[in-house]
Amino acid sequence: MDLALKDVRRHAGKFVATIVGVGLLLTIVLVMNGIYQGNIYDGVWLIENTATDLWVVERGRGGPFNESSRMPGDAHESVVATPGVARASPYIAYAAQRTVGGTSQQFTIIGYDVFGGLGGPGRLVAGRAIQAAHSEMVADSRLGLALGERLRLGAREYTVVGLTRSAVDPAGNPLVYLSLPDAQDVLYEQDNFALVAARAASARRLERAGFGPAESARIAPLLAGSTETVNAVLVKLAPGTDLEATRRHIERWLHFTAYTTAEERELMLEGRLKKMSAVLGLFRGLLVLVSIVIMALILYVLTIEKIKPIATLKLIGAPNRVIVRMIMEQSLVLTVSSFGFAFLLLNLVRERFPRTLVVLPEETALTFAVMLAGGVLASLMAVWHALRTPPSLALGG
Amino acid sequence: MPVLEVENLSKTFGEGELAVRALREASFSVEAGELVALLGPSGSGKSTLLLCISLIQEPSSGRIAISGRDVWRDGPLGLDDRRFRRENIGFIFQGHNLIPFLTAEENIALARELNGASAREAALRAKELLGYLEIAKRAKSYPGSLSGGEQQRVAIGRALANEPPIIFADEPTASLDTERGMKVMAMLRRIAREKKSAVIAVTHDHRMVEGFDTAYEMNDGLLARRAAT
């Protein structure tokens, strides 16, 4: 007679409630797994999905994603002249926050050479790539824009001509692709009041330096910061080129720093993602631990509730294996059902979750194994208590 | 041949000045089909005697034999105590102690299955006993939905499942009113007669003494035979 299943059948409501409770806890563990892997996935997505051999950035900087990098707008022209470089394209990337579809959303604007340059969107799920020098944009579908929709960024409106899926910046925010000049416009554009204030400040500095008012007013506009800067130059090497030699050349003669995609990825993993991954990893570990402790307590309480029947079983001659089997089987039923419930729930919420959840089968299997082992360990505590229960406990009122 | 022989059975808890002699050289025997009452106030040693005979507690000295075979002689004789109980003793408890998540039928079948019977055979035996105890219609009911008297009858069925030579009943009527208590006693008498099991009932209840074949009284660990009623 399967005592464990008989107990489950008799107290189905209690077991279902327990399974749902533990299952919700395990869902959080699985979601945390997904967030942890999703954080890494999002963190390096842009780097891994930008078809380039070298990321050339401002000298000594860890840019363009981990640290700011400002380079002259024509830097790509000197880079393309380097031996072994087949193509070099200017690249700009910066975060923006605007109201899109009625809600304030953060996204990253990527500016690239739309006429055959590197760094543009990869596969589009709808529409086409940017074909005009101005006023067109490709947006990720997470932003909620539809093809043909228009979005105001600064002084201009941009029309969505193409859509990507899951194109995100290292923080998991959607990407918006613009032509390089448009991206620079959006980044550096100032309204008239700001321009007047900046020029007045420059004129005051010039006057303090001894220039007359008329001269200061004439020179001040020329002192405005250049909007012709880029964050990086993306490089595609010619086949058979010695990457190290090209990199040395760029660093020595052009005074820039160049990273391979692998190095850029490493910069990201060791930089922005490191602490977040550590925190998420810590939370993940704590959650697993808390889940095991809660499961242990539940299993223990389920056994304690049955301590008199267990004593009765011992008194009427049930061997220990019958009692151990009952406890272990319930532990397995509880663990497996809760995990199944958690897995089901995870798959239900996965697509609607605000962050990318990356569920790796091997990691899910490992989590299951850990929870199963935890469940078995927890039930050993209950078994220990049950086996120590004297049969004489069944006697008396 | 007696089904149970107890000779000079003693049980002492603790040592030295703190030693408590819960059982002092108790000797008695019980024949098959005999209905024996074990009377005495709380703490007199009745339960200790029962636990010792069931090998739940180890006696300090003495001899116990079941159906002519020694199961204890001044020390253990290497018996598997659980198996010994399954095969030789049926228990009826004051609080019925039915397994709450098993139906009446399953409670009885479990005892049979634990003794090696197949599920089918155990279920058949359970049905038969439920019929014998006149509660066949409650076979699929859980203990929680049975009355005290019905629960006690299921407990009796469980005790009978393996046709043991001895049935221990620990205050079998304590939680029942007089009428139901009388019915249970009548049932125990019937079982003793028809099934030829020796029934040893621990009781405080002097109302129930009438009808027992033999009665023993315990006081401070000493067992004395009372005149039969």
Side-chain angles (χ1 to χ4, degrees), chain A residues 23 27 30 337-350:
Chain A
T27 308
L30 292 180
S337 309
S338 302
F339 199 88
F341 174 81
F343 191 70
L344 207 70
L345 198 59
L346 172 77
N347 283 298
L348 281 176
V349 301
R350 202 167 154 181

Side-chain angles (χ1 to χ4, degrees), chain B residues 125 129 132 156-164 167 191 195 197:
Chain B
R125 171 74 177 151
L129 282 168
Y132 177 74
I156 292 170
R158 181 174 66 187
L160 288 173
N162 294 316
E163 299 165 350
I167 290 172
I191 287 162
K195 305 286 180 186
S197 291

Side-chain angles (χ1 to χ4, degrees), chain A residues 1-11 305-306 308-323 326 330 387 389-397, chain B residues 47 50-51 54 56-57 81-83 85-86 89 91-103 105-107 109-111 113-114 119 142-145 158 162 170:
Chain A
M1 190 178 297
D2 195 327
L3 294 177
L5 291 183
K6 298 276 183 195
D7 189 20
V8 171
R9 181 194 64 183
R10 177 65 182 141
H11 301 112
E305 282 176 350
K306 284 195 285 286
K308 195 152 185 182
I310 286 172
T312 305
L313 284 170
K314 289 170 107 170
L315 193 73
I316 65 172
N320 282 341
R321 68 181 149 76
V322 170
I323 295 157
M326 176 174 72
Q330 275 190 356
L387 294 186
T389 301
S392 55
L393 190 74
L395 297 172
Chain B
S47 293
L50 227 135
L51 292 172
S54 319
I56 291 167
Q57 248 168 26
D81 66 313
R82 305 264 181 102
R83 184 172 175 186
R85 286 200 291 277
R86 284 200 300 270
I89 303 174
F91 289 92
I92 302 166
F93 307 95
Q94 176 186 344
H96 322 308
N97 284 28
L98 297 175
I99 308 295
F101 49 85
L102 298 182
T103 62
E105 184 184 315
E106 288 166 345
N107 261 287
L110 173 68
E113 272 192 50
L114 289 174
Y142 285 97
S145 62
R158 181 174 66 187
N162 294 316
D170 183 29

